Amino acid sequence: MSTERFDVVIVGGAAVGSAVAYFLKHDLGFAGTVAVIERDPTYAHAATSLSAASIRQQFSTPENIRMSRFGIAFFDGLKLRFGREASVGFRAGGYLLLAGAAGRAVLAANHAVQQAEHADIELMDPAQLQARFPWLNTSDLAAGGFGRSGEGWFDAHALLELLRRGARERGAVYLHGEVTGIERRRDRIDAAMIGDGRRIACGTLVNAAGPQAGDVAALAGLRLPVEPRKRCIFVVACRAELSGMPLVIDTTGVWARPEGNGFIAGVSPPDDADPRAEDFDVDYALFESTVWPALAHRVPAMEALKLVRGWAGHYDFNTLDQNAVIGPHPQVKNFIFANGFSGHGLQQAPAAGRAVAELIVHGRFVSLDLARFGYARIAAGRPLREANVF
Ligand SMILES: Cc1cc2nc3c(=O)[nH]c(=O)nc-3n(C[C@H](O)[C@H](O)[C@H](O)COP(=O)(O)OP(=O)(O)OC[C@H]3O[C@@H](n4cnc5c(N)ncnc54)[C@H](O)[C@@H]3O)c2cc1C
């Protein structure tokens, strides 16, 4: 058996794993050795590749707002970090979260949290919504939250490539292989075992395995309630001109936004039809039963839309509270989680990467206090719920 040793070994090299490597080697100037172990360098099934690649500030948890705001700041600073050509194609189209009478109070309460965080979100009444978005059916709406700046969508592949390139340029090594075992001696992780027989000894091990994070934690005998849950995205064409359309999230949870010359749309399945996912088959029945009717109701011009195609990806779903788990295991301190983002991990990858890098180098959060996202709440079974999850 061959053994190599790295000071930091990161399991999973998509957005989050690569962000950890990038921030370690770049912002934190970490002088130690860093390896990223990735089972599929094409990233064909990574959540990063299959996501809707959108970014918002309309959360109910202050830490989520702060993390996503750092994502926007990171986009703003791309050229300084990566050179004049660098771009993730960010389009500041905004989000529009809609509420009926029943949801108005929650929307307003979340808006107060967002305002306290200086997020540029406008709380609109139906008349304002109608004036600003004339193509929207406001007949059964009580309010909407619109992100005037700092929200929109971007190119996930471009972000991943920049992070990978930046990490590599500063000496991080990407190893191709699947971690199939983790060597743990009581309260310490000694090594990651790759399926082909390589043993990669480590000072610190970071779990950045996305939807598989629970499985990777289990390899070390640790419990993490994160599992793959299927989410489908439908590409639709629609002749109507929906000028200035943001990413609209309907009262039903159905969402849609412009993409290229058309639109993409989706919805999370009901809780009782949302098992651990194994396959990537597109649930077209969900489009017919839920997505299309909701879109046709909310945006009458979409009644005449045409389904072009669809794809399915897996959320890195935290079954306790749909919030991230960031930080070391309380007993096995050299095992660090960066998991469970549950549908908002791409926009938070820069903040998560920086946070984990700070933990490794300084032993504490420096830029953003993410202590409430730590493992303690998982151990205690005490959820920190995010209200705005879709
Ligand atoms: C349909 C869909 C829509 C989404 N929309 C958005 C959105 O609009 N905005 C947003 O911010 N987020 C969104 N997300 C969530 C976001 O994509 C994820 O939270 C984020 O990409 C997680 O990044 P990651 O690097 O942790 O995981 P991944 O991108 O899944 O990467 C994990 C990597 O780990 C590797 N890996 C796993 N196990 C092992 C192992 N044992 N050994 C070696 N390698 C391993 C995998 O091959 C993979 O490359 C969406 C997700 C989906 C599925």
Side-chain angles (χ1 to χ4, degrees):
M1 184 198 306
S2 70
T3 293
E4 281 181 89
R5 187 185 186 286
F6 294 87
D7 294 311
V8 177
V9 168
I10 301 165
V11 183
V16 171
S18 293
V20 173
Y22 171 78
F23 277 93
L24 262 178
K25 298 303 284 178
H26 192 274
D27 290 39
L28 278 290
F30 182 63
T33 51
V34 177
V36 182
I37 308 177
E38 171 54 54
R39 65 181 180 183
D40 177 14
T42 72
Y43 298 101
H45 290 121
T48 294
S49 305
L50 298 168
S51 92
S54 307
I55 181 165
R56 62 184 158 108
Q57 299 183 35
Q58 296 191 61
F59 290 99
S60 65
T61 315
E63 286 88 339
N64 280 330
I65 301 171
R66 293 173 198 161
M67 289 183 80
S68 292
R69 282 171 70 84
F70 179 64
I72 291 289
F74 187 76
F75 292 174
D76 285 345
L78 281 183
K79 292 190 190 328
L80 281 176
R81 288 177 174 277
F82 299 101
R84 269 192 310 155
E85 303 301 316
S87 167
V88 293
F90 175 57
R91 281 191 53 194
Y95 269 61
L96 179 62
L97 257 75
L98 299 172
R104 196 195 180 287
V106 174
L107 191 80
N110 292 344
H111 182 251
V113 175
Q114 292 149 15
Q115 285 222 299
E117 294 297 323
H118 310 291
D120 187 15
I121 311 299
E122 182 180 358
L123 192 60
M124 301 171 94
D125 64 25
Q128 290 168 313
L129 289 167
Q130 194 65 76
R132 169 96 197 214
F133 308 108
W135 37 262
L136 193 71
N137 171 12
T138 58
S139 61
D140 54 349
L141 293 179
F146 175 57
R148 288 183 293 215
S149 64
E151 294 191 326
W153 43 94
F154 58 97
D155 180 342
H157 297 275
L159 176 63
L160 174 57
E161 274 320 300
L162 287 173
L163 292 169
R164 270 167 56 94
R165 193 185 84 199
R168 277 192 158 126
E169 279 172 3
R170 296 284 173 110
V173 174
Y174 279 68
L175 304 175
H176 180 193
E178 178 162 2
V179 172
T180 51
I182 291 178
E183 238 181 66
R184 172 177 156 197
R185 213 174 355 123
R186 284 193 297 278
D187 292 351
R188 253 202 95 66
I189 302 297
D190 284 339
M193 313 300 295
I194 300 186
D196 59 13
R198 280 176 288 169
R199 177 178 182 274
I200 313 296
C202 62
T204 298
L205 187 127
V206 178
N207 183 356
Q212 269 63 52
D215 300 339
V216 166
L219 294 176
L222 303 175
R223 187 182 64 83
L224 179 70
V226 173
E227 64 179 30
R229 296 277 181 98
K230 192 194 288 188
R231 295 293 178 271
C232 298
I233 296 188
F234 305 98
V235 181
V236 300
C238 173
R239 285 221 185 99
E241 174 66 28
L242 304 174
S243 69
M245 182 181 175
L247 191 157
V248 177
I249 303 181
D250 183 41
T251 53
T252 55
V254 170
W255 61 267
R257 71 157 169 84
E259 174 69 30
N261 294 327
F263 302 87
I264 56 173
V267 70
S268 291
D271 289 348
D272 60 358
D274 193 20
R276 181 187 166 108
E278 306 296 343
D279 66 74
F280 289 84
D281 301 338
V282 180
D283 183 359
Y284 287 106
L286 194 62
F287 181 79
E288 295 293 333
S289 68
T290 309
V291 176
W292 193 355
L295 290 182
H297 173 72
R298 188 57 61 211
V299 183
M302 283 194 156
E303 184 147 23
L305 60 74
K306 184 165 165 269
L307 178 61
V308 179
R309 66 184 180 92
W311 76 83
H314 291 168
Y315 265 16
D316 40 349
F317 193 93
N318 176 349
T319 60
L320 180 69
D321 57 16
Q322 298 187 60
N323 252 330
V325 183
I326 299 177
H329 189 275
Q331 276 83 47
V332 188
K333 291 195 170 62
N334 72 334
F335 186 106
I336 300 185
F337 301 96
N339 307 121
F341 297 92
S342 308
H344 45 272
L346 190 60
Q347 62 195 282
Q348 297 191 338
R354 182 180 65 174
V356 171
E358 288 174 353
L359 287 176
I360 292 169
V361 172
H362 298 298
R364 63 190 172 85
F365 295 121
V366 177
S367 310
L368 273 185
D369 182 1
L370 300 179
R372 291 205 305 161
F373 283 164
Y375 189 86
R377 78 180 198 285
I378 305 290
R382 207 177 44 238
L384 173 67
R385 284 194 209 290
E386 168 55 53
N388 283 349
V389 281
F390 308 101

